[in-house]
C-alpha cells in the first residue's frame, strides 16, 4: 500500500511537470549546520544586535561629551522704523521713543553660544565608564540571544526528524494491522473458529489508536517545520531527509559542567551591569558639584529700517555685533531632588549586584540540570535500544507464526504495541540526547 501510494505521487508529479503546469514551490532542504548559521541572524538575534549597536553609539556620545558644544539661533522678519535724533552719532532721542511692531524693513539676527567642559568633578569619566560597561553588557546579550536561537532551532530541527520517524513507524504498523484485519475478516467469513469477533474488534481498536498517534505526529511535524522555517528565514526551508540519529558527543563530568557554567555570556552581562550602575551612582553624586566650562558667545543683527546708534552702552537689538568669551560655572542646584536620585542609583546598583549573584548561582544550577538531562537521555537511549532489539525480534517471530497459520491475532497486537513503545522510546531518547547536548553546551557557555 505504501509503495503504491509513493508510485502514484511520483506519476502525478511527472505528469504535472510534463504538462507545464506550475507545481508547488521547490523545498529548500537544509542541514543542521546551515540552520544554526541562519539562526544566528534571526530577527530575535538582530534585535539584540541592534541594541548593542545603540549601546556602542551611546558609549561614543558619552566619551565625546568633553568636546565643544555649539548652539546657533537664526531669526528674521519685519522691523519697525526707528530714527536717531539729532543723528546716529549723537543719539539723544529716538522717533518713536519706544520699540513698536512695524513693517517698514527687514531684520535678521544670529546668536551663537559655544561651551566646552573643562572640569566636571568626574561626571564625564564616570559616565564614560558606565557607557563602556553598558556596551559590554549589550555585546554579551547578543551572545545570549544567539545561544537561545541555536537551541530553539536545533529543537525544531530534531523535532521534524522525530515526527518523521514516528510517522514511518506508525505507517508500517498500520500496514501490518490492515493485513491482519483482512486475514481475520476472511477467516470469520469462512467460519471454523480459528478467530473470533473479539480478535477483529481488538485489531480495529489498535488501528484506531495508531491513527490517533499518526495525527499527533503530524501535528508535531507541522509545528516543528514552522520552527525550522522561522529560524531559517525562508518559507521554503525544510529539514534535510537524513534520518534521526544520535549525535556523537562526550559529556563532561558534573563538576566540570558546574565550573564551566560561569563562562556564559549571561555572567559577563551581569558583571558589566554591576560596573555600569556603580559608575552611575558616582555620576549622580558628582552632580552636587558644578561644571567648569569655557564659554564663548556671539551675536550679529541688522535691520534695514532702524538707525544704528554709535554708542557702546546702548542696547540696540536691531543692529549689533558682539563677541565674548570666558570661564563659567554651570550648576544645577536641586537639593530636594538630588538625594532621591542618588538613592535610586544606589538601588539600581544593589539590584544589579543581586542579579549578578543570582545569575552565578542560577547558571551553575542550570548547568547541572542540563548535564543531568543529557546523561539521563544517554542512559535511556542505551536501554531503549536494547528493548527495541528484543521487541523487533518478537514482532518478526509473531509475523512468521501468523504467516504460517500458527499464531493468534492477539499476539500481533501485543507484539506490535510493545514494538511501538520501545521504538518510540528510542526515538524520544535520541531527540532528548541531541537537544540535551546542545542545551548543555549553552549552559556551559560553549557554542555548537
Amino acid at each position: 500500500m505504501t509503495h503504491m501510494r509513493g508510485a502514484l505521487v511520483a506519476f502525478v508529479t511527472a505528469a504535472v511537470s510534463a504538462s507545464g503546469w506550475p507545481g508547488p514551490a521547490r523545498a529548500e532542504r537544509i542541514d543542521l549546520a546551515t540552520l544554526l548559521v541562519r539562526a544566528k541572524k534571526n530577527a530575535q538575534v538582530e534585535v539584540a544586535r541592534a541594541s548593542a549597536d545603540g549601546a556602542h553609539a551611546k558609549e561614543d556620545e558619552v566619551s565625546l561629551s568633553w568636546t565643544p558644544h555649539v548652539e546657533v539661533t537664526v531669526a528674521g522678519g519685519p522691523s519697525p522704523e526707528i530714527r536717531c535724533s539729532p543723528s546716529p552719532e549723537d543719539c539723544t532721542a529716538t522717533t518713536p521713543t519706544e520699540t513698536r511692531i512695524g513693517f517698514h524693513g527687514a531684520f535678521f539676527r544670529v546668536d551663537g553660544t559655544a561651551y566646552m567642559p573643562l572640569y566636571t568633578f568626574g561626571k564625564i569619566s564616570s559616565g564614560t565608564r558606565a557607557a563602556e560597561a553598558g556596551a559590554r553588557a549589550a555585546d554579551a546579550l547578543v551572545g545570549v540571544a544567539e545561544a537561545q536561537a541555536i537551541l530553539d532551532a536545533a529543537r525544531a530541527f530534531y523535532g521534524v526528524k522525530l515526527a518523521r520517524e514516528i510517522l514511518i513507524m506508525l505507517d508500517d504498523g498500520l500496514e501490518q494491522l490492515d493485513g491482519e484485519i483482512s486475514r481475520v475478516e476472511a477467516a470469520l467469513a469462512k467460519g471454523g473458529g480459528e478467530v473470533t469477533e473479539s480478535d477483529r474488534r481488538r485489531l480495529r481498536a489498535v488501528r484506531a489508536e495508531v491513527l490517533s498517534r499518526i495525527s499527533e505526529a503530524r501535528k508535531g511535524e507541522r509545528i516543528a517545520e514552522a520552527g525550522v522555517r522561522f529560524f531559517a528565514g525562508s518559507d521554503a526551508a525544510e529539514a534535510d531527509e537524513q534520518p534521526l540519529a544520535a549525535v556523537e558527543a562526550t559529556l563532561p563530568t558534573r563538576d566540570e559542567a558546574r565550573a564551566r557554567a560561569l563562562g556564559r555570556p549571561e555572567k559577563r552581562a551581569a558583571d558589566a551591569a554591576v560596573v555600569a550602575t556603580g559608575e552611575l551612582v558616582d555620576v549622580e553624586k558628582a552632580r552636587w558639584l558644578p561644571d567648569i566650562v569655557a564659554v564663548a558667545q556671539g551675536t550679529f543683527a541688522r535691520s534695514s529700517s532702524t538707525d544704528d546708534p554709535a554708542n557702546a552702552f546702548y542696547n540696540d537689538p536691531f543692529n549689533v555685533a558682539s563677541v565674548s568669551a570666558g570661564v563659567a560655572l554651570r550648576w544645577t542646584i536641586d537639593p530636594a531632588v538630588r538625594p532621591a536620585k542618588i538613592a535610586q542609583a544606589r538601588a539600581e546598583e544593589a539590584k544589579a549586584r543581586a542579579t549578578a549573584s543570582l545569575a552565578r548561582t542560577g547558571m551553575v544550577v542550570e548547568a547541572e540540570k542540563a548535564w543531568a538531562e543529557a546523561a539521563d537521555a544517554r542512559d535511556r537511549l542505551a536501554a531503549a535500544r536494547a528493548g527495541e532489539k528484543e521487541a523487533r525480534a518478537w514482532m518478526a517471530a509473531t509475523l512468521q507464526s501468523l504467516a504460517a497459520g500458527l499464531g493468534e491475532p492477539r499476539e500481533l497486537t501485543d507484539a506490535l504495541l510493545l514494538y511501538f513503545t520501545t521504538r518510540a522510546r528510542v526515538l524520544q531518547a535520541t531527540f532528548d540526547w541531541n537537544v540535551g547536548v546542545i542545551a548543555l553546551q549553552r549552559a556551559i557557555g560553549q557554542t555548537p
Side-chain angles (χ1 to χ4, degrees):
M1 183 181 299
T2 302
H3 300 299
M4 292 180 61
R5 183 168 63 246
L8 179 59
V9 170
F11 173 76
V12 172
T13 302
V16 170
S17 300
S19 65
W21 291 358
R26 184 175 182 179
E28 178 190 8
R29 299 285 185 179
I30 60 176
D31 57 15
L32 179 62
T34 302
L35 180 62
L36 297 188
V37 170
R38 293 192 185 182
K40 293 181 181 180
K41 300 179 181 179
N42 183 262
Q44 294 174 327
V45 180
E46 289 302 317
V47 169
R49 192 168 286 118
S51 297
D53 291 341
H56 282 284
K58 184 66 175 179
E59 177 187 0
D60 294 338
E61 176 191 353
V62 176
S63 65
L64 294 174
S65 58
W66 61 269
T67 57
H69 300 258
V70 180
E71 295 179 2
V72 177
T73 302
V74 179
S79 66
E81 183 178 13
I82 302 176
R83 300 303 176 188
C84 285
S85 178
S87 68
E89 291 75 16
D90 188 17
C91 188
T92 59
T94 61
T95 304
T97 58
E98 57 185 28
T99 303
R100 299 174 182 175
I101 297 176
F103 298 90
H104 297 278
F107 162 78
F108 77 94
R109 180 185 178 108
V110 179
D111 291 287
T113 302
Y115 65 92
M116 184 177 74
L118 298 177
Y119 190 72
T120 63
F121 294 92
K123 298 183 189 71
I124 292 179
S125 57
S126 295
T128 299
R129 289 191 293 269
E132 290 172 350
R136 292 197 302 272
D139 288 338
L141 291 177
V142 173
V144 174
E146 287 183 348
Q148 187 61 49
I150 286 173
L151 177 58
D152 292 341
R155 184 178 286 113
F157 183 85
Y158 287 125
V160 171
K161 292 184 176 293
L162 172 63
R164 288 176 182 172
E165 294 290 340
I166 291 176
L167 285 171
I168 291 173
M169 175 189 72
L170 293 174
D171 283 341
D172 289 343
L174 189 63
E175 190 171 351
Q176 297 293 340
L177 281 172
D178 287 342
E180 183 61 14
I181 289 173
S182 298
R183 189 187 72 82
V184 168
E185 289 178 343
L188 287 174
K190 288 181 180 180
E194 295 179 0
V195 295
T196 65
E197 181 65 24
S198 296
D199 293 328
R200 179 169 63 177
R201 293 186 181 279
R202 179 182 178 86
L203 289 169
R204 285 181 173 179
V206 173
R207 188 180 190 278
E209 178 65 17
V210 171
L211 290 176
S212 175
R213 299 299 182 185
I214 288 175
S215 177
E216 291 178 357
R218 284 175 178 163
K219 180 189 73 173
E221 182 184 25
R222 294 186 184 110
I223 293 174
E225 284 176 342
V228 170
R229 291 192 296 270
F230 174 74
F231 287 104
S234 170
D235 288 339
E238 292 183 7
D240 61 31
E241 297 179 347
Q242 296 297 318
L244 178 65
V247 298
E248 297 291 336
T250 302
L251 296 184
T253 65
R254 187 191 67 164
D255 292 339
E256 289 174 342
R258 287 171 56 90
R260 292 162 62 181
L262 298 181
R264 289 172 58 174
E266 288 92 335
K267 182 179 182 297
R268 297 195 297 273
D271 291 343
V274 172
V275 174
T277 53
E279 295 293 343
L280 290 177
V281 171
D282 293 339
V283 170
E284 294 297 337
K285 290 165 62 178
R287 284 178 177 164
W288 279 116
L289 303 173
D291 294 339
I292 301 175
V293 298
V295 181
Q297 187 273 336
T299 300
F300 183 81
R302 287 292 183 269
S303 172
S304 63
S305 59
T306 63
D307 288 340
D308 184 9
N311 191 312
F313 290 98
Y314 284 161
N315 181 18
D316 180 10
F318 296 99
N319 297 280
V320 61
S322 66
V323 176
S324 61
V327 177
L329 293 179
R330 296 184 65 199
W331 202 350
T332 301
I333 303 175
D334 50 1
V337 176
R338 181 58 38 205
K341 288 186 175 293
I342 294 174
Q344 290 176 19
R346 284 176 172 163
E348 289 296 324
E349 182 187 19
K351 177 182 176 182
R353 291 186 182 279
T355 300
S357 177
L358 178 63
R360 285 190 291 270
T361 304
M363 285 184 289
V364 171
V365 172
E366 185 176 349
E368 187 168 358
K369 177 176 178 290
W371 179 87
E373 290 177 346
D376 169 65
R378 177 196 59 193
D379 297 341
R380 280 192 291 112
L381 179 57
R385 281 172 172 169
E388 181 194 18
K389 181 179 179 181
E390 298 299 331
R392 184 186 292 111
W394 181 26
M395 189 176 71
T398 302
L399 290 174
Q400 291 176 357
S401 298
L402 290 173
L406 302 176
E408 297 182 359
R410 175 186 293 272
E411 295 178 4
L412 175 62
T413 57
D414 292 342
L416 198 59
L417 288 174
L418 181 60
Y419 174 71
F420 282 172
T421 300
T422 56
R423 177 60 179 164
R425 286 177 177 171
V426 168
L427 295 174
Q428 185 64 53
T430 302
F431 171 85
D432 292 341
W433 164 252
N434 291 354
V435 174
V437 167
I438 296 180
L440 179 59
Q441 289 174 340
R442 177 186 182 278
I444 62 177
Q446 179 180 342
T447 303

